[in-house]
Amino acid sequence: MVNLVKMDLIELAVNGEKRLVMARPADTLLHVLREQLGLTGSKPSCKNGDCGACTVLIDGQPIKSCLMLAVEALGHEITTIEGLKDSPIQRAFIDKFAFQCGYCTSGFIMNCHALSVIHPDAGDETIREWLQSNLCRCTGYEEITEAIKSVLAQEPKENNG
Amino acid sequence: MQKVGIGVSVPRKESQDKVTGLAIYNTDYLSPKLLYAWLVTSLYAHAEIKSIDTSEAFKVVGVQAVITGDSYHLLCGPVIEDHPPLAKEKVRYFGEPLAVVIANSEAVAKEAAGKVKVEYNPLPVVNSLASALKEGAPLVHENVAFYKQVKPNEIFSKAGTNIAQHVKIRKGDLPEGWRQSEVIVESNFSLPQSNHIAMEPRNAIAEIKADGQVIIHASTQAPFDVRKILCRCFNLADTQVIVNTPLVGGGFGGKTNVQLEIIAYLASQAVHGRAVKLIESREQDMTSSPGHLGLEARVKIGATRDGTMKALEITLEVDVGAYVDSGSQMTRAMAADCTGPYHIDHVWCDAYGVYTNHTYVTAFRGFGRLSYVFAIERTMDKLAFALGIDPLELRLKNALKSEDTTPTMVRLNKSSIGNLPACLTKIKSMMNWQEGVRRETGSNKVVAKGISCLWKTSSSPPDATSGAIITINEDGTLNLNVGTVEIGSGSKTSLAQILAEKLSMDVNKIHVVMDVNTGISPSHWKTVASMTNFMVGNAVLDAAEDLVEQLRSIASIVLRCPPEVLEVGGGKVYLKEDPEIYIEINEIGNGYEYPEGNSIGGQVIGRGSFIMHHLVHMDKDTGKGKLGPAWTVGAQAVEVEFDTQNYTYKILKAATVIDAGKVLNPKGARGTITGGMCMGLGYGSRESCLYGEGGERKNPQLRTYHLMRFGENPTYLVDFVETPLIVAPYGLRGIAEHGIIGIPAALANALTTAAQVELNQTPLTPETIWQAKRGKLDDSL
């Protein structure tokens, strides 16, 4: 029988720092980031991988932190929205009015940021494929589209949208 | 001096916090002292609770308390008190909270909640409006007549039936209307319940201090209503309850409802007042907390051959679910606006709010208009077709204007109704309407357009109030404190713009208090009904005038002149005739000190308030009355590309033209409208609460309940008309909800034209279009 109260001390690499946290085997990365490290920028919303509000970067790749156990993050570089400072996509989100209530914003920004690093020349199809993993209930996605496009290469190589 | 006020796209005040993850929402309130609650919810839609065994739950290490409904004699509700916060004796909907586990961590509370054993005795389920209204139907509530009516002027339930509300409109002489009509069309409509899906799930924290002080932290649109309802339910004094609300992660009406705050209070009580946090899972948010109403409608419209509308008979049956909450208010609001924005002399409307064993409902963006507008606007298209008149021209011909009367007999003027014909004229050219509404584009593809109008008034209580307080800092900047919450509409920023405009100041020099604390913030009815800029805006202007008067009074002493010759602007009080003679407001905002040390003045505090005036309850027999100060009107259109073989479609364009009175923040206004449009396209094309045969919810997850996703959105076309509302700040009208209202109807009109079959229900999926096309009975290939 699983001992639910058993906790392990683990070291996570978060936003360039080594942080010690106590985690149960069943604790998600989202839970530990928020409840133990106070990094509440990553948001709980569906806790089922459907909405993307909890998106963080694991070694630069966007991951839904509600679907990853804290222990799975051992040995990986975790970047949360709090680790992103004055990046072009953050400025673009403000300039383009790409958020309203702001609850989905951290997740969208992390995903957009990773997209702009991994596929700086992404075209419409790639943008769509990436950003469909996040939900926004306030905007009609128009301003988020403008924001991501403004930080991607001016002349997309891919022109399939 | 840089002036940044009205008509400028000022980024929202909380922008930096929202892009850095530092914005704090109620879910982000963390503290080691917190206990956590988890709801045990009903697996049946209608059943007697035979027993609840909590003994196994108590054995889980870390459980502090388990509470069940049978410990309380408590009924709550904003209009009629029909709702036990935890089900007692019987459950009335699938997902209804019936017990709460309070534990040291959420994981423990959740685990223990799974060990609470409930024995049910299933009852016949009222699973549709038709079954609720059948003769001899099982009753969702047996004792409606004994419930306390909080607002007796606003609810007319019928004992011994499932009818919780019946609103009548009797305008003109209906038989005469039919006599004058040369063409009559009729249709039936069916729209399902849906969910709000604010990205921040509903949640609340409650703590009861030793002296009885109740501290609530809630993700709510209505902190003052939370206070009012807690006080009413638990016999507390106003001063005993403080409700704190930080930024709210979306609401769309769903957070006007007071539910989790009550349950969290009970949970805190059970653990001697310790702070208890209750966050719903997404699934609970979609089943245990209220959604958006369902509607069945029958519409009959008569007109002369030239297209002049003469008569309307409309029956609205509203699925309010298991408890009334604000369902009765939405039923009333729909009836009051039941014609759509068209002039009709002879109108009968019977609107019923009906109890069912579905999840109960609360306010949703548009407060019911989205649903009845669908029925009216689809019938308008049917009438246009029958008359052989262009659907846009038919709307233009009948659009309400000055001197016309509404269904509730309010005589309109230019200020109160705005300019719908101008909206229609604009959308006509935006959508290239003259090229025709249907064209075949080859390989089984058809491009078609549909149109809809909208109108909405506030449906606020006649005594709704707002307040505002302005103070001055040492550096000459201002603090603006108001009781509206920031739910994403940008209202705090808009209000700063209103103040900036009034005082000719840079908006960056106006700080807004972002959080609401009912013990400190001036009260505000609720952050709802697109009324914040109107109501609180008026209070802000009032406060600014109070501030100006005080500043002139002190400055008149310092500058040695009568106050009448002074003006306030740009952070200064100056002589009208010679602005070079002035004093900075920061020098007098907190007392003025003469060189030798003598001081005068003291802190300048601008106080302002606003209350609705001349609103009148609707008459029980005729509906005559006035529910809001004015209307916002608009026109919307959708263009689709439809595949005539497999009935799939792509939404190419969606357009909205709204009479905004005055656009405060152009980029913000566009985003508010397109956000509403996107939500309307989601409701029209895919969203619905699916109930199984036993009333169990089939799709309580974002994996099975689909929202519009990135890239599925069409090209948006948005424009504004500006007809000032003279009683509003700078002439503005509410626009926050309106983007959604006509969109499902416009989509259905476009698809009806494309598929050449009447589409009178939502969601409009390829399957439902196929069913309509083949006839409902033939649903197999």
Side-chain angles (χ1 to χ4, degrees), chain A residues 1 4-5 24 27 31 34-36 38-51 53 64 67 81-82 84 89-91 93-97 99-106 108-109 124 127-129 131-146 148, chain B residues 9-12 14-16 18-25 27-28 30 36 61 106-107 111 195-201 248-250 252 277 281-283 364-365 486-489 665 667-668 670-672 674-676 678-679 687 701-703 705 707-713 716:
Chain A
M1 192 179 161
L4 278 172
V5 295
R24 293 184 312 135
D27 279 339
H31 178 82
R34 289 175 54 83
E35 303 282 332
Q36 293 220 18
L39 296 169
T40 55
S42 310
K43 299 298 185 203
S45 180
C46 73
K47 295 190 180 177
N48 196 41
D50 299 328
C51 78
K64 290 164 178 171
L67 291 184
I81 183 81
E82 290 88 348
L84 218 57
I89 189 68
Q90 286 169 302
R91 290 195 297 275
F93 261 62
I94 296 179
D95 291 346
K96 303 295 180 190
F97 281 55
F99 52 89
Q100 292 178 28
C101 86
Y103 201 80
C104 73
T105 308
S106 305
F108 259 109
I109 286 181
D124 289 351
I127 296 172
R128 182 184 160 110
E129 192 188 333
L131 297 191
Q132 285 217 328
S133 67
N134 294 58
L135 281 171
C136 170
R137 190 59 158 166
C138 295
T139 75
Y141 299 109
E142 181 181 59
E143 301 90 340
I144 298 174
T145 309
E146 287 171 15
I148 181 64
Chain B
S9 293
V10 179
R12 53 181 66 241
E14 72 284 11
S15 287
Q16 286 291 341
K18 283 184 173 172
V19 300
T20 53
L22 301 179
I24 295 295
Y25 302 82
T27 47
D28 300 329
L30 306 176
Y36 293 82
V61 176
E106 194 176 82
E111 188 206 347
N195 284 120
H196 299 81
I197 319 284
M199 294 311 293
E200 180 192 19
V248 175
F252 316 112
K277 185 174 186 179
S281 67
R282 178 54 63 190
E283 292 75 11
F364 178 81
R365 194 173 203 161
E486 183 50 71
I487 61 171
S489 61
N665 185 319
K667 271 191 181 176
R670 182 185 171 91
T672 300
T674 55
C678 186
M679 198 179 257
E687 292 182 43
Q701 261 193 344
L702 296 179
R703 201 164 290 186
Y705 182 101
L707 307 184
M708 291 283 285
R709 283 188 183 265
F710 185 95
E712 294 177 321
N713 52 297
Y716 299 108

Side-chain angles (χ1 to χ4, degrees), chain B residues 487-503:
Chain B
I487 61 171
S489 61
S491 60
K492 299 267 184 180
T493 308
S494 306
L495 293 166
Q497 288 181 259
I498 287 172
L499 183 56
E501 182 77 18
K502 173 79 180 169
L503 297 178

Side-chain angles (χ1 to χ4, degrees), chain B residues 277-556:
Chain B
K277 185 174 186 179
L278 170 57
I279 305 185
E280 280 185 330
S281 67
R282 178 54 63 190
E283 292 75 11
Q284 289 169 341
D285 184 79
M286 294 174 73
T287 55
S288 303
S289 282
H292 165 228
L293 59 83
L295 176 73
E296 306 267 332
R298 292 188 290 281
V299 183
K300 186 175 168 188
I301 298 179
T304 56
R305 268 190 224 294
D306 71 349
T308 307
M309 292 164 77
K310 290 292 177 188
L312 165 70
E313 189 175 0
I314 179 167
T315 307
L316 303 168
E317 293 165 7
V318 181
D319 183 353
V320 303
Y323 300 103
V324 164
D325 198 76
S326 54
S328 59
Q329 307 294 82
M330 289 185 283
T331 304
R332 202 174 61 117
M334 282 193 270
D337 284 352
C338 69
T339 49
Y342 307 111
H343 177 70
I344 308 175
D345 280 330
H346 308 290
V347 180
W348 271 44
C349 171
D350 285 281
Y352 300 94
V354 182
Y355 283 127
T356 65
N357 289 122
H358 290 162
T359 297
Y360 73 111
V361 304
T362 193
F364 178 81
R365 194 173 203 161
F367 210 56
R369 272 67 165 206
L370 153 80
S371 306
Y372 92 84
V373 160
F374 185 94
I376 286 291
E377 292 292 335
R378 280 285 306 116
T379 313
M380 287 297 283
D381 261 34
K382 191 170 178 176
L383 178 64
F385 189 77
L387 291 165
I389 297 178
D390 177 85
L392 193 149
E393 296 301 329
L394 179 69
R395 287 166 170 90
L396 205 48
K397 187 177 181 66
N398 291 285
L400 278 166
K401 54 188 186 308
S402 236
E403 299 303 314
D404 287 342
T405 53
T406 71
T408 67
M409 300 302 292
V410 176
R411 189 163 295 280
L412 298 167
N413 58 46
K414 197 178 165 200
S415 164
S416 63
I417 191 62
N419 194 342
L420 179 60
C423 297
L424 281 162
T425 307
K426 268 199 176 184
I427 210 162
K428 188 175 174 179
S429 66
M430 277 162 80
M431 289 297 288
N432 255 329
W433 197 262
Q434 63 288 352
E435 74 180 4
V437 293
R438 187 179 197 274
R439 61 179 202 279
E440 293 184 5
T441 53
S443 60
N444 309 316
K445 293 283 187 346
V446 170
V447 170
K449 297 168 193 173
I451 192 163
S452 169
C453 291
L454 65 93
W455 75 323
K456 182 185 181 295
T457 189
S458 63
S459 313
S460 44
D463 62 348
T465 61
S466 306
I469 297 171
I470 307 165
T471 53
I472 302 175
N473 298 308
E474 297 287 344
D475 63 359
T477 59
L478 304 184
N479 305 311
L480 175 61
N481 187 6
V482 293
T484 180
V485 298
E486 183 50 71
I487 61 171
S489 61
S491 60
K492 299 267 184 180
T493 308
S494 306
L495 293 166
Q497 288 181 259
I498 287 172
L499 183 56
E501 182 77 18
K502 173 79 180 169
L503 297 178
S504 302
M505 274 181 81
D506 179 352
V507 73
N508 295 315
K509 291 191 171 164
I510 296 169
H511 307 288
V512 291
V513 182
M514 208 46 84
D515 297 358
V516 172
N517 171 323
T518 57
I520 298 168
S521 313
S523 77
H524 173 49
W525 166 46
K526 301 176 197 180
T527 304
V528 296
S530 313
M531 288 308 284
T532 302
N533 289 341
F534 174 81
M535 292 180 60
V536 189
N538 271 324
V540 167
L541 290 180
D542 190 37
E545 269 163 32
D546 184 44
L547 187 88
V548 164
E549 199 179 314
Q550 294 175 55
L551 288 171
R552 284 162 76 194
S553 160
I554 301 164
S556 74

